[in-house]
Every structure is written in structure tokens, then in C-alpha cells.
Amino acid sequence: MKTITKPDELAAFCAAAAEHPYVTVDTEFLRERTYYSKLCLIQLAHPGGGEDSAVLVDPLVEGMDLEPLYTLFRDTSVVKVFHAARQDLEIFWVAAGLFPTPLFDTQVAAMVCGFGEQVGYETLVRKICRQPLDKTSRFTDWSRRPLSDAQKTYALADVTHLRQIYEFLQAELVRSKRTVWVEEELQILTNPETYEVDPATAWQRIKTRTNSPRFLGIVRELAAFREGYAQSNDVPRSRVYKDDALIELASTKPRTMQDLGRSRLLLREARKGAIADGILAAVERGVSMDQGDLPVPDRSREKLQVNPALADLLRVLLKAKSEDSNVAPRLIAPAAELDAIAAGQRDVPSLRGWRRDVFGADALRLCQGEIALAARGEAVDIVELSR
């Protein structure tokens, strides 16, 4: 198996790959000790055949330039095939500010083609390629050199089998006329907002039991400081302080270093230096913030007047539609959307695009009393109601 360690070797492979309709791509990375993923290995394969059609690229070699790969990513005549692409795409977006175009994600396609929710690569290799897959090297340290033969074999398998998986799923999508369904899903993956975390909005991901505007104001300031510090120092946000410590700080409102020393949940490293100073400054901003500048609690869920009987009927309808279309139910409509529809909300994804065709249109008809559901053995039938 070939490992590319020079830019000219990468350029030669990418030029060869550009002569084919698609290239399969995967990465190995580490993120346990950093905010941003550390790219450790890139795997590439094209359908040309021969030993040189699948390679490993070592981005950690001094002098390695990935621009030939980025040029290939910009080539719209070559489909870039990934499995569960989100983390891979984040790496390339952060490193080069680009998304591989056009993109195909076999995990998304597999859900559309009836392989279940969040289907793993190993499952697709077994079901489509009829091959076993050795995953013993999955959790190895990909930053250490040299790589073992077992690591290289494992890594290369992630793109060699992907060729057959892609061709199978692509043919199935064409047969079922569902290519546009996958394209709609991939718009989320290629939206920069999917990967960019604004420190000012980081607080919205933190679960709190208190909706006091003042408390949320302190939470917002603490979360913004943590996110900004983690990004600028490239450390995991949990290494700054964890969510439970953030909630504790928002409750106790420390104003001095001595107050910080009384925290039960704060890491030792956060009780001194830049982090401690940042915590105290964030608390001070939250405490002294004008009332009009405090965040407004999101009470939208509290205001939902969910009709529980209707929500249950929507779940039955979703199960029936999922089985009829052979698409994972959660891909069509998560449980929260069913409750929202039952509460009268209409601006939800399951009522738009291909989801509306599969489920949303009949969901609305059910809500409006135009149809009913009837059990027929193990099946569920839609019954038209006369008006």
C-alpha cells in the first residue's frame, strides 16, 4: 500500500483521480486534546483499479502541501464520496475554507435507501460488499509515526470498500428517483454555519433549570468567554471548564479569587491565571448588565399546546410512512417535530421538500381531519373522510 509523503506525489494522484467520475475520501484525526481536529491521515481511492488507485496521504510530513487535494475538491466534474462526512468536512473547512464539491455521503444515502438510522460503515461493508471489516485499529493514536501495517490496512479499507458502496447506493437512488432527497440533506453539511460556533451564542447549547434572565446573562458571559478561550488556545472547552462548573459559577457568582477557590467543580487550572481572570470578568459583566441587555428565555416549547392524542396519531402515521418508503423514521421527522405539528406549528423541516411528499402532506391532512388511520392486520391504512 502506498503512502504519499511528497506534494508532487499527491499532485500526481489527484491528477489521475480527476480522470474518474468519483473519488472516495476519509480521514483519521485526533480531537481529545484540541478544540479543532488535528488531521493525521487522509485516505483516497478512485475506481481506476490497480494498487495505485488507493493511497494514504501523510499530512504530518514536513513540507507536505495539500493544495493538490484542494484543487481536486474544487473540481466539480469529480464526485467526492465520504461516509458520515460531517467531521471530515469540518476539518477541510477550518483548514482551507472549502467544501468538497460535489459531495456524496453514503451514510445519508443509506438512510434514504432503507438501511436504518445513522448506519455505520462496517454495516454497509457487510451488507453491500459482503466482506468483514477489522476495526481493531479504530482507536489508535493516528499522530504517532511510523504507522503500523495494521493501521494502514484499517485506514485504507475505509475508502476501498467505499467505492462499491457508493456505486450501489447511487444506482439505488437513481432507480428510486431519490437523488434529490440526498442533495437536500447535504445542503446542511455544506453550510458553513454548521461548523462555526459563535462565542456569543454558545450559551444556547447549555441546559439550565433556571430561566431567570440575570442567571442566563451570567451563563451567556461565561459560555462566551469559555468558547473564545478554547478557540484561541485550541483546547477542548471541557479543559477550560465543564458545563456543570459553568452552571455552578453562574449560581455562586464569584467576585474574587478567594471565591473561585470555594468552587467544588472548577478544575484546578481554572482557579488561576488567564482562565480565572476571564471567569471573574465574565461574572462581573453578567451581574452588572443592564436589564434590557439580558437574554430572554426561550419559552417556545413551554407555550406549545400539544394535543397528545394527535401527536400519537402522527407517530403511527410516521411509522407507516417510514415502512412504506423504506426510509429511517428519524430522518423524516424527529419526535420534537411531531409534537410541534400537533401543537399547530407549520414551519418545520418535515413539512417541506421531499419530507412533505413522503409524510408532511398527509400529516397536515390528518391534523385537519381530512383523513383517518385504520389498522389492517399489522399494516396501517389511510382512510379518506368525507367532508
Side-chain angles (χ1 to χ4, degrees):
M1 63 193 77
K2 182 176 181 180
T3 301
I4 289 176
T5 58
K6 299 178 181 179
D8 60 339
E9 295 174 340
L10 178 60
F13 177 85
C14 290
E19 299 298 318
H20 298 279
Y22 70 87
V23 59
T24 57
V25 189
D26 191 33
T27 67
E28 305 298 339
F29 56 88
L30 295 178
R31 198 171 189 171
E32 290 81 3
R33 298 183 294 274
T34 57
Y35 184 92
Y36 301 105
S37 297
K38 178 181 179 181
L39 181 60
C40 299
L41 192 67
I42 305 168
Q43 302 99 282
L44 302 168
H46 61 67
E51 292 185 1
D52 291 340
S53 66
V55 298
L56 305 176
V57 181
D58 191 344
L60 300 183
V61 174
E62 185 176 355
M64 175 56 76
D65 183 0
L66 296 181
E67 186 55 36
L69 178 62
Y70 299 150
T71 298
L72 178 62
F73 281 175
R74 298 184 189 100
D75 186 343
T76 57
S77 70
V78 182
V79 177
K80 272 62 75 171
V81 182
F82 293 76
H83 180 83
R86 190 189 188 287
Q87 294 187 86
D88 303 306
L89 297 184
E90 182 179 15
I91 290 172
F92 296 122
W93 175 252
V94 171
L98 62 81
F99 295 114
T101 306
L103 172 71
F104 189 96
D105 189 322
T106 55
Q107 186 177 70
V108 174
M111 287 192 286
V112 169
C113 293
F115 283 86
E117 298 177 358
Q118 304 297 316
V119 60
Y121 181 67
E122 185 177 5
T123 299
L124 295 182
V125 171
R126 186 176 67 253
K127 290 186 175 182
I128 295 176
C129 304
R130 307 295 181 184
Q131 295 287 332
L133 194 64
D134 181 7
K135 304 295 285 185
T136 56
S137 295
R138 178 184 302 177
F139 299 111
T140 58
D141 184 349
W142 292 99
S143 67
R144 297 186 63 180
R145 295 294 185 271
L147 295 173
S148 68
D149 288 343
Q151 284 178 303
K152 293 178 180 180
T153 299
Y154 162 86
L156 210 57
D158 279 348
V159 288
T160 52
H161 296 303
L162 197 55
R163 295 177 293 198
Q164 184 177 350
I165 292 170
Y166 165 68
E167 292 177 2
F168 176 90
L169 292 174
Q170 177 64 10
E172 181 62 20
L173 290 173
V174 171
R175 184 197 65 78
S176 60
K177 299 181 180 179
R178 293 180 177 179
T179 300
V180 67
W181 295 16
V182 174
E183 291 174 352
E184 284 185 27
E185 296 307 299
L186 295 183
Q187 289 177 9
I188 299 174
L189 286 178
T190 54
N191 184 344
E193 292 181 3
T194 302
Y195 309 98
E196 295 175 351
V197 180
D198 181 359
T201 61
W203 69 281
Q204 296 173 356
R205 301 196 316 267
I206 298 173
K207 296 180 180 179
T208 65
R209 295 182 178 180
T210 303
N211 280 331
S212 159
R214 181 65 59 188
F215 175 81
L216 293 179
I218 302 173
V219 168
R220 182 175 67 185
E221 295 303 316
L222 287 167
F225 164 70
R226 180 179 68 171
E227 203 71 30
Y229 183 93
Q231 290 176 354
S232 60
N233 291 275
D234 195 19
V235 295
R237 62 177 67 91
S238 62
R239 294 285 183 94
V240 186
Y241 40 84
K242 297 181 180 180
D243 284 1
D244 56 357
L246 188 153
I247 297 298
E248 180 194 40
L249 293 168
S251 300
T252 58
K253 307 181 203 49
R255 312 298 289 272
T256 67
M257 290 292 183
Q258 187 176 10
D259 293 339
L260 276 184
R262 299 190 185 99
S263 171
R264 295 184 303 108
L265 302 175
L266 200 60
L267 297 172
R268 182 181 303 174
E269 294 77 9
R271 300 168 190 256
K272 57 186 178 181
I275 297 179
D277 291 339
I279 290 173
L280 295 178
V283 171
E284 179 60 32
R285 288 193 298 273
V287 169
S288 60
M289 191 179 300
D290 290 342
Q291 192 72 27
D293 295 329
L294 293 173
V296 178
D298 181 6
R299 301 187 185 278
S300 59
R301 294 291 300 167
E302 297 177 12
K303 295 178 182 178
L304 286 181
Q305 298 296 317
V306 179
N307 181 331
L310 180 56
D312 287 342
L313 286 173
L314 288 169
R315 285 169 169 77
V316 174
L317 176 65
L318 175 62
K319 186 175 186 300
K321 291 291 186 177
S322 170
E323 291 176 353
D324 287 346
S325 60
N326 198 27
V327 178
R330 192 165 57 181
L331 183 63
I332 300 173
E337 285 189 22
L338 300 181
D339 289 341
I341 295 171
Q345 292 190 3
R346 296 297 179 257
D347 186 21
V348 295
S350 51
L351 299 182
R352 299 192 296 268
W354 67 267
R355 291 176 173 84
R356 184 183 181 92
D357 297 334
V358 173
F359 166 75
D362 280 335
L364 290 176
R365 295 175 68 208
L366 182 65
C367 293
Q368 295 161 1
E370 298 175 3
I371 60 173
L373 304 179
R376 180 175 54 81
E378 295 183 358
V380 174
D381 288 341
I382 292 177
V383 179
E384 299 285 342
L385 299 178
S386 57
R387 304 291 290 183

